[in-house]
Amino acid sequence: MFKGKKGEKLRMNGTDVPLDNYGAIDSDSDKAIDHDAMDSNTISNPGKWDSTLNKACYFNDGIRKIDFVLVYEDENHPVKSFKDEEAIMNGGKKAYKNKRNDEQEMHQAWRHKFLSSLKKKGIETEEDAVEGDKKCMYYIKLHAPWEVMCFYAEDLCMRAPLQAHQNPSSNYSAHILEKVHIPNIMQNDVPNTPYDFYTCTFKKSKLSRFLGSDNHDTYFTTSQRGRVVFEILATSVFGKKKRAEIGIERLIDEGIFQAAFPLHDGDYKKPEHYLSEESLNPRQILYSYWGRWGTWYKYQPLDHIREYFGEKIGIYFAWLGFYTAWLLPASVVGLLVFIAGALNMANDKPALEVCASGKNYLMCPKCKVGCKYWHLSDTCMMTKIGYLFDNPGTVFFSVFVAFWAVTFLEYWKRKNASLAHHWDCMDFEEEEERPRPQYAALAPALEKNPITGIIEPHFPEDKRKFRIISGLAVMTTMIAIVLIFVFAVIMYRVLINIPLSENKMTQPYAENIANISSAVVNLILIMAMGKVYELLALKLTQWEMHRTQTEFEDQLTFKVFLFQFVNFYSAIFYIAFFKGKFIGYPGHYRHIMGLRNEECANAGCMTELAQQLAVIMIGKQMINNVQEVVIPKIKSWLHKRKIKKRNDEELSRWEEDYELIENEGLFQEYLEMGNLLSIKVIQCEFVMFIIYFSATVWFYYNICGCLPTSSSVCLTKQLVRDQVRCFKVCM
């Protein structure tokens, strides 16, 4: 059924295969790869990496693969196996009841019940105890047998391969460079390119029809095995279900387990001696051809990323590369606009007239207390600088950004749909997504799904709506607090300007000092409030009991994005559209809390807006760099110091992976990506924000045009952050 032409044997690497008839199953030049061809390829290529030969990722018997590792530690140092612990618990129930309030005994009981739950679900375990200087570390290795994998693969609606083809992936820029005969330095020839498969939902009853089903050891990929075991870990009970004492995440939060992680397929560094690039493990290939700093300009091996880490991370890095590439034209145009403004700055007629006015124009004081009369010519330098951000070129740039953003969105939709089709996850949300583990564990009832007809956990809709409304009330309160902080920053700027204007030394720079210092205070409040609300939004979304992981992530992203939108841009909105509009006129100035309403700086609000944007952009980037580079290194050092392993000992695979810093997930990254609207708001960092909320060029002129070099800053920042993320993922 799945065979192509008789005797046809196709290799994955080392040959150029034409793809003119890709997908034409019944053509004479069919390139489908059947079972025999794949087996022949494996036999004929002994230098290719084979996961079954890496016994460091197996139980002591060398047969059962380690799918997940649980880690806990014992400060008291006694080395007890799980069997010993079970015997103690079975023989000392009365003693345990008498010591119910003892935290250590309670943790021991929870751990015992949790591991027993795993065994009841078919998970096989093996324990490894490692004595340290001050404590003993216990590594519990988990393995999902073939029967368990088949059951959960069908339950989770995993995709299974029916037919293999040569990978049809191509790159549009590579095609253009080839047409014009320009060498493509971005080309990245990565070995062991994954197959492209025709797939369908896994069914155990149709097992013989799937490719590779004869080999139980390699049929399921590492990411699939990890997904199944995590599903079991997330739904296993360790205490009372009514108290939500369910799942490995709760156990880690309680400190009963220190970590839970799947193993890497080996070290990320190349060995000193190896047969060929094809003999490297997937992690080594990804690091060599993608994660190293020297590969920052190369095409991303998206199929390799997807095969090793899964579709979600693959889509994320595809978007990162797509967005970074599209920033290039925006940064070039913005830089040209800025250079043109700098060249014409000396010829700006309004600035020349202001500078030539001398002492002819005496201006009213800008505040009621401490401010003095000033001459219009005092703003000569700031007026010239303001031309950089307020000139005819910025109007063109604003229009360009509007069209660029809409075009970027439409082309990303095409790219996203292409990848979803290529990776067979196009209809995942509509057809295959099942209830998330936390929902299934905490739902109070079981009801028949009206679409699939399957009995599923159910949470009453009226209760969920009440919780969602309560969450919206909390979110509204937090947004109101942000607006109060914005008002406080405004009052700070007004109050700090008074003593600065009275001091002869700081009087010429009073406005700049007040504006920049208030921008720094605003940035600190933005970052602090953002962290607090992210934790609050996570707890609220968990409490709302959303059925699927997609619904959960959508609601969490909506809450955090809406708050971050107000948090980041409320002060910018005020400066761009409201500041200086309600000050009154000499003799009839308007006041708030006894203070005169603040007006724009002497050179206009555009210069002040540019200062605000620059402080937030640069400051946020510095904080992000610390979070992504410095803090992980400090955590890694503290973590290794905590473990305190002797240098002369050779670490096992699970010990090496335990020393790695925990990946905090993609929420922060997807927060910047968000949905198709929030992509342009958070990630583009003020180049084009709020495109879909106002279509007027006036809006772009006030926001985007004030800082045309921001697109270049975004591009530089994005190149650095992309490579940092690749490096962190590979290591």
Side-chain angles (χ1 to χ4, degrees), residues 477-487 529 563 566-568 570:
T477 303
M478 293 297 296
I479 290 176
I481 294 175
V482 168
L483 297 179
I484 292 174
F485 280 141
V486 171
F487 179 75
M529 289 295 295
F563 176 82
V566 178
N567 193 25
F568 270 97
S570 53

mmCIF file of all heavy atoms in Angstrom, residues 477-487 529 563 566-568 570:
data_model
loop_
_atom_site.group_PDB
_atom_site.id
_atom_site.type_symbol
_atom_site.label_atom_id
_atom_site.label_comp_id
_atom_site.label_asym_id
_atom_site.label_seq_id
_atom_site.Cartn_x
_atom_site.Cartn_y
_atom_site.Cartn_z
ATOM 1 N N THR A 477 -9.043 46.453 37.997
ATOM 2 C CA THR A 477 -8.437 47.105 39.170
ATOM 3 C C THR A 477 -6.945 47.344 38.958
ATOM 4 O O THR A 477 -6.426 48.422 39.285
ATOM 5 C CB THR A 477 -8.659 46.248 40.425
ATOM 6 O OG1 THR A 477 -10.057 46.018 40.610
ATOM 7 C CG2 THR A 477 -8.086 46.931 41.649
ATOM 8 N N MET A 478 -6.256 46.348 38.406
ATOM 9 C CA MET A 478 -4.825 46.494 38.160
ATOM 10 C C MET A 478 -4.549 47.573 37.118
ATOM 11 O O MET A 478 -3.575 48.336 37.241
ATOM 12 C CB MET A 478 -4.244 45.158 37.706
ATOM 13 C CG MET A 478 -4.248 44.070 38.770
ATOM 14 S SD MET A 478 -3.227 44.475 40.208
ATOM 15 C CE MET A 478 -1.603 44.532 39.468
ATOM 16 N N ILE A 479 -5.396 47.668 36.103
ATOM 17 C CA ILE A 479 -5.224 48.721 35.094
ATOM 18 C C ILE A 479 -5.439 50.095 35.726
ATOM 19 O O ILE A 479 -4.717 51.058 35.416
ATOM 20 C CB ILE A 479 -6.194 48.491 33.922
ATOM 21 C CG1 ILE A 479 -5.760 47.250 33.121
ATOM 22 C CG2 ILE A 479 -6.249 49.715 33.003
ATOM 23 C CD1 ILE A 479 -6.708 46.882 32.001
ATOM 24 N N ALA A 480 -6.413 50.188 36.621
ATOM 25 C CA ALA A 480 -6.632 51.458 37.323
ATOM 26 C C ALA A 480 -5.419 51.839 38.162
ATOM 27 O O ALA A 480 -5.035 53.023 38.231
ATOM 28 C CB ALA A 480 -7.880 51.347 38.199
ATOM 29 N N ILE A 481 -4.777 50.842 38.782
ATOM 30 C CA ILE A 481 -3.565 51.116 39.563
ATOM 31 C C ILE A 481 -2.453 51.639 38.657
ATOM 32 O O ILE A 481 -1.713 52.559 39.024
ATOM 33 C CB ILE A 481 -3.121 49.841 40.309
ATOM 34 C CG1 ILE A 481 -4.156 49.459 41.370
ATOM 35 C CG2 ILE A 481 -1.743 50.038 40.946
ATOM 36 C CD1 ILE A 481 -3.862 48.147 42.066
ATOM 37 N N VAL A 482 -2.341 51.062 37.466
ATOM 38 C CA VAL A 482 -1.326 51.541 36.509
ATOM 39 C C VAL A 482 -1.579 53.004 36.159
ATOM 40 O O VAL A 482 -0.647 53.828 36.114
ATOM 41 C CB VAL A 482 -1.338 50.668 35.246
ATOM 42 C CG1 VAL A 482 -0.506 51.320 34.135
ATOM 43 C CG2 VAL A 482 -0.786 49.290 35.550
ATOM 44 N N LEU A 483 -2.836 53.369 35.902
ATOM 45 C CA LEU A 483 -3.155 54.765 35.562
ATOM 46 C C LEU A 483 -2.860 55.695 36.734
ATOM 47 O O LEU A 483 -2.438 56.847 36.528
ATOM 48 C CB LEU A 483 -4.629 54.864 35.157
ATOM 49 C CG LEU A 483 -5.018 54.073 33.894
ATOM 50 C CD1 LEU A 483 -6.504 54.229 33.604
ATOM 51 C CD2 LEU A 483 -4.197 54.544 32.698
ATOM 52 N N ILE A 484 -3.065 55.203 37.946
ATOM 53 C CA ILE A 484 -2.708 56.010 39.122
ATOM 54 C C ILE A 484 -1.203 56.243 39.156
ATOM 55 O O ILE A 484 -0.736 57.362 39.449
ATOM 56 C CB ILE A 484 -3.189 55.310 40.411
ATOM 57 C CG1 ILE A 484 -4.712 55.309 40.471
ATOM 58 C CG2 ILE A 484 -2.597 55.990 41.644
ATOM 59 C CD1 ILE A 484 -5.289 54.511 41.625
ATOM 60 N N PHE A 485 -0.419 55.211 38.852
ATOM 61 C CA PHE A 485 1.034 55.366 38.817
ATOM 62 C C PHE A 485 1.461 56.348 37.724
ATOM 63 O O PHE A 485 2.416 57.108 37.896
ATOM 64 C CB PHE A 485 1.709 54.014 38.609
ATOM 65 C CG PHE A 485 1.824 53.197 39.861
ATOM 66 C CD1 PHE A 485 1.626 51.820 39.845
ATOM 67 C CD2 PHE A 485 2.115 53.789 41.075
ATOM 68 C CE1 PHE A 485 1.735 51.065 40.999
ATOM 69 C CE2 PHE A 485 2.222 53.051 42.233
ATOM 70 C CZ PHE A 485 2.027 51.686 42.200
ATOM 71 N N VAL A 486 0.771 56.318 36.585
ATOM 72 C CA VAL A 486 1.081 57.272 35.515
ATOM 73 C C VAL A 486 0.836 58.697 35.997
ATOM 74 O O VAL A 486 1.654 59.604 35.760
ATOM 75 C CB VAL A 486 0.244 56.966 34.260
ATOM 76 C CG1 VAL A 486 0.403 58.077 33.225
ATOM 77 C CG2 VAL A 486 0.662 55.632 33.657
ATOM 78 N N PHE A 487 -0.281 58.897 36.690
ATOM 79 C CA PHE A 487 -0.558 60.223 37.245
ATOM 80 C C PHE A 487 0.505 60.616 38.260
ATOM 81 O O PHE A 487 0.926 61.784 38.330
ATOM 82 C CB PHE A 487 -1.951 60.227 37.885
ATOM 83 C CG PHE A 487 -2.331 61.539 38.503
ATOM 84 C CD1 PHE A 487 -2.704 62.611 37.713
ATOM 85 C CD2 PHE A 487 -2.299 61.710 39.888
ATOM 86 C CE1 PHE A 487 -3.055 63.827 38.287
ATOM 87 C CE2 PHE A 487 -2.637 62.911 40.464
ATOM 88 C CZ PHE A 487 -3.014 63.980 39.656
ATOM 89 N N MET A 529 5.420 46.352 37.962
ATOM 90 C CA MET A 529 4.001 46.032 37.833
ATOM 91 C C MET A 529 3.781 44.872 36.871
ATOM 92 O O MET A 529 2.874 44.051 37.055
ATOM 93 C CB MET A 529 3.236 47.267 37.373
ATOM 94 C CG MET A 529 3.107 48.352 38.424
ATOM 95 S SD MET A 529 2.121 47.823 39.837
ATOM 96 C CE MET A 529 0.521 47.614 39.069
ATOM 97 N N PHE A 563 -3.005 44.151 29.902
ATOM 98 C CA PHE A 563 -2.395 44.901 30.999
ATOM 99 C C PHE A 563 -1.070 45.527 30.564
ATOM 100 O O PHE A 563 -0.807 46.704 30.854
ATOM 101 C CB PHE A 563 -2.168 43.973 32.195
ATOM 102 C CG PHE A 563 -1.450 44.644 33.334
ATOM 103 C CD1 PHE A 563 -2.140 45.426 34.240
ATOM 104 C CD2 PHE A 563 -0.073 44.506 33.491
ATOM 105 C CE1 PHE A 563 -1.472 46.045 35.283
ATOM 106 C CE2 PHE A 563 0.595 45.121 34.526
ATOM 107 C CZ PHE A 563 -0.109 45.893 35.420
ATOM 108 N N VAL A 566 -1.522 48.695 28.430
ATOM 109 C CA VAL A 566 -1.775 49.901 29.230
ATOM 110 C C VAL A 566 -0.533 50.268 30.030
ATOM 111 O O VAL A 566 -0.175 51.446 30.151
ATOM 112 C CB VAL A 566 -2.986 49.676 30.153
ATOM 113 C CG1 VAL A 566 -3.227 50.900 31.032
ATOM 114 C CG2 VAL A 566 -4.233 49.359 29.343
ATOM 115 N N ASN A 567 0.138 49.262 30.560
ATOM 116 C CA ASN A 567 1.301 49.493 31.408
ATOM 117 C C ASN A 567 2.422 50.200 30.640
ATOM 118 O O ASN A 567 3.027 51.154 31.132
ATOM 119 C CB ASN A 567 1.792 48.149 31.949
ATOM 120 C CG ASN A 567 2.792 48.298 33.073
ATOM 121 O OD1 ASN A 567 2.814 49.307 33.777
ATOM 122 N ND2 ASN A 567 3.633 47.295 33.251
ATOM 123 N N PHE A 568 2.694 49.740 29.428
ATOM 124 C CA PHE A 568 3.804 50.296 28.665
ATOM 125 C C PHE A 568 3.449 51.613 27.971
ATOM 126 O O PHE A 568 4.273 52.518 27.904
ATOM 127 C CB PHE A 568 4.264 49.294 27.606
ATOM 128 C CG PHE A 568 5.335 48.360 28.079
ATOM 129 C CD1 PHE A 568 5.028 47.095 28.532
ATOM 130 C CD2 PHE A 568 6.662 48.753 28.091
ATOM 131 C CE1 PHE A 568 6.004 46.228 28.978
ATOM 132 C CE2 PHE A 568 7.649 47.901 28.535
ATOM 133 C CZ PHE A 568 7.315 46.631 28.979
ATOM 134 N N SER A 570 0.609 53.818 28.314
ATOM 135 C CA SER A 570 -0.238 54.889 28.847
ATOM 136 C C SER A 570 0.538 56.199 28.965
ATOM 137 O O SER A 570 0.029 57.270 28.584
ATOM 138 C CB SER A 570 -0.806 54.476 30.203
ATOM 139 O OG SER A 570 0.225 54.063 31.082
#
